[in-house]
Amino acid sequence: DHSLPAACREGSGAVTRALGAAPGRVELADGVPLSRCVQRAVDPDDVVFVGGTFVSVAVGLAERARADIESPAALQLGYLLGAAHRGGDRTLVSSELLRRLDQEAAGIAERSHAYERGLRAGRAAG
């Protein structure tokens, strides 16, 4: 089954709560990793929903991370982007979402060790 898992439709609150476990195992309901949401979002409605959810979460995390670049928010932002790239680097559908998420990390990615730690963890297991 290559459809979008139901856990990916739970919205930004579910993603934010799951990211609280970063850099450890971050999973949505039913053990769904964030990368699977990006990987399986191929239907236009799914792309819009997952993209909107991930960007919304990234905007909030980036705002807090800019205030403290070594904060848990910076680590969680890195994890979110790492997981998104893990799931979307091989799909053309995800390229705009990844570009938009990367924009949110501008100015943080270059200066934050917490962000880099989260990014590595998200790419490895997200």
Side-chain angles (χ1 to χ4, degrees), residues 79-102:
Y79 192 101
L80 177 64
L81 269 69
H85 277 277
R86 177 182 171 94
D89 277 347
R90 296 186 196 122
T91 67
L92 292 174
V93 174
S94 303
S95 61
E96 179 59 22
L97 168 60
L98 297 177
R99 185 193 67 74
R100 180 67 183 88
L101 289 171
D102 288 340

Side-chain angles (χ1 to χ4, degrees), residues 46-106:
D46 294 341
V47 171
V48 169
F49 186 84
V50 170
T53 297
F54 278 37
V55 168
S56 173
V57 171
V59 166
L61 290 172
E63 185 176 303
R64 290 184 303 189
R66 283 188 183 87
D68 179 359
I69 62 168
E70 297 303 334
S71 66
L75 183 135
Q76 292 168 5
L77 178 64
Y79 192 101
L80 177 64
L81 269 69
H85 277 277
R86 177 182 171 94
D89 277 347
R90 296 186 196 122
T91 67
L92 292 174
V93 174
S94 303
S95 61
E96 179 59 22
L97 168 60
L98 297 177
R99 185 193 67 74
R100 180 67 183 88
L101 289 171
D102 288 340
Q103 282 181 326
E104 286 305 317

Side-chain angles (χ1 to χ4, degrees), residues 108-123:
I108 299 165
E110 301 84 6
R111 303 181 355 237
S112 173
H113 296 292
Y115 173 88
E116 284 299 321
R117 186 170 153 227
L119 185 69
R120 284 191 306 273
R123 281 190 178 271

